[in-house]
Amino acid sequence: MTPLPDRYCPTDGVRIPGDSLAWCCPSCHGPLDLDFSPTPARLKSLTGRVNSLWRYAETLPLAAPTVSLGEGRTPLVPLTDEVSAKLDFLMPTLSFKDRGAVMLAELALRAGPRRVVADSSGNAGTSIAAYCARARLPCTVYVPLGTSAKKLEQIEAHGARVEPVDGGREAAAAAARRAADEPDTFYASHVYNPYFLHGTKTYVHELWEDMGGRLPDVLVLPVGNGTLLLGAALAVSELYGAGLLDRRPALWAVQAAAVAPLAEAWAQGAEELTGTTPVAPTYAEGIAIPRPQRARQILRAVRDSGGTFLTVTEDQIRHAQSDLASRGLYVEATGVACWAAVREGALGSRSAVVPLCGAGLKSGLVH
């Protein structure tokens, strides 16, 4: 089996051996990145490969998967002349999080821990639970009180133990981190573990293939913890660095106006979070993250791409969800945020793709 690449702290450079169960930098306790710089395959060589995200094997830090559920290769459909939608709600657990969860479960299977723990507002926990079930690994998911009952039902259906935590999303994450420090425990964190980002980057590799070796002018991406956006930035860098793109698309990051710490920092020209941002209830619970751990990386990725931040109101989210449903696409409130941001002409004549990240059945129609 190929040795696993080292992980390292992007803040202070501390390195962690690839086979370690350590989940954060021992110095600053921040999230880790992966020492891995792959070269993607050329377009013609993808013909005839497995019809899942594992067709991009050259770009993935793990090979020969044993826990795959056929994730990836979701449809790309037009919404307008300029905007297309990638239907990532058609993944095995009905959310884009499967792209990263399969990588974490595969990594955990190779580590052989006593148990796996995760924290989530719903979709990531569901994905981790499903792939741990596939890998026959015991799993506990810490969730904030108020998490959608339908998502909790799905997590439990996969055999995972649910631990509700009072105090919101950050309290659930803190509880999971305490559990992760126990011996022989694998922390399947979609925030701290860089393998998750190397799974989500396949979103862009699929777009590149489906669009015949190019990408749109703009990639519009929802941002809470930023795992899809940071994965997209990785893929763009890989493709451009290999000479497989002649230009980089701009990354437009979308937050709910009710919880928009990154958009606020962006508006102030800051390189990191600027303090305590007011938080209000939002339909877009999946991106309601007051203090994203990778804030500096997210802001830098958007800035380096020539992109920007947009925010959407609760009315815009509600109307966008109804609009997509009227077009035959039933998507959860978080998953419609990007369409809400651009459906009224913000793009001008630029081409764009928006991800529809989670199925409407997970949380229902908002009113």
Side-chain angles (χ1 to χ4, degrees):
M1 188 175 293
T2 304
L4 298 173
D6 285 351
R7 287 163 290 155
Y8 68 93
C9 176
T11 300
D12 55 30
V14 171
R15 298 183 73 83
I16 308 290
D19 59 356
S20 170
L21 287 174
W23 56 268
C24 69
C25 173
S27 176
C28 71
H29 306 292
L32 300 170
D33 284 347
L34 201 61
D35 189 2
F36 181 62
S37 301
T39 300
R42 295 192 172 274
L43 197 61
K44 289 182 179 179
S45 70
L46 298 174
T47 303
R49 293 193 180 189
V50 61
N51 193 38
S52 73
L53 62 79
W54 295 95
R55 71 196 280 110
Y56 310 107
E58 291 88 348
T59 72
L60 299 176
L62 297 170
T66 59
V67 301
S68 175
L69 292 167
E71 55 287 329
R73 301 297 292 144
T74 54
L76 182 67
V77 300
L79 294 177
T80 69
D81 289 342
E82 292 81 24
V83 183
S84 293
K86 189 157 175 59
L87 310 191
D88 258 24
F89 67 88
L90 297 180
M91 300 285 272
T93 76
L94 309 182
S95 121
F96 88 94
K97 296 289 177 64
D98 291 356
R99 295 184 182 277
V102 68
M103 302 296 292
L104 295 187
E106 190 70 39
L107 183 62
L109 186 64
R110 299 181 188 204
R114 177 176 56 86
R115 67 165 180 164
V116 174
V117 299
D119 58 275
S120 171
S121 60
N123 283 339
T126 294
S127 290
I128 297 297
Y131 284 96
C132 281
R134 183 74 165 175
R136 298 290 187 264
L137 291 168
C139 178
T140 300
V141 182
Y142 293 82
V143 300
L145 286 178
T147 296
S148 164
K150 294 180 180 180
K151 293 178 181 178
L152 296 180
E153 179 182 342
Q154 193 178 4
I155 292 171
E156 291 176 326
H158 293 305
R161 176 183 172 187
V162 173
E163 287 283 355
V165 179
D166 193 10
R169 183 67 183 82
E170 290 187 322
R177 291 195 292 268
R178 288 193 294 271
D181 287 332
E182 296 177 10
D184 204 21
T185 299
F186 181 91
Y187 183 22
S189 173
H190 58 293
V191 178
Y192 282 84
N193 196 311
Y195 279 81
F196 197 91
L197 305 182
H198 284 270
T200 61
K201 75 183 181 185
T202 59
Y203 170 88
V204 167
H205 284 289
E206 289 178 18
L207 283 180
W208 173 79
E209 182 182 1
D210 288 344
M211 297 181 70
R214 63 182 183 86
L215 289 173
D217 298 326
V218 179
L219 294 172
V220 189
L221 300 155
V223 175
N225 280 309
T227 55
L228 184 55
L229 183 140
L230 290 173
L234 279 173
V236 169
S237 178
E238 290 169 3
L239 291 165
Y240 187 79
L244 300 176
L245 283 176
D246 57 6
R247 57 170 179 76
R248 299 172 186 249
L251 304 181
W252 286 18
V254 179
Q255 295 207 285
V259 186
L262 291 159
E264 180 178 299
W266 178 266
Q268 296 179 22
E271 295 185 357
E272 56 189 24
L273 298 184
T274 55
T276 302
T277 302
V279 174
T282 177
Y283 297 133
E285 62 181 9
I287 53 173
I289 309 297
R291 296 197 64 79
Q293 293 295 316
R294 293 185 183 268
R296 177 180 284 271
Q297 288 178 276
I298 296 166
L299 289 162
R300 184 173 64 246
V302 174
R303 186 176 295 110
D304 289 350
S305 77
T308 191
F309 275 80
L310 303 173
T311 60
V312 290
T313 67
E314 300 305 291
D315 277 348
Q316 286 177 305
I317 292 170
R318 179 166 51 83
H319 291 312
Q321 188 186 40
S322 295
D323 178 62
L324 286 173
S326 74
R327 298 166 184 255
L329 300 167
Y330 188 31
V331 185
E332 69 171 340
T334 299
V336 308
C338 291
W339 178 234
V342 301
R343 63 186 285 255
E344 296 178 358
L347 288 160
S349 61
R350 286 166 287 200
S351 62
V353 172
V354 299
L356 304 185
C357 296
L361 294 174
K362 284 176 170 281
S363 54
L365 193 68
V366 299
H367 298 285

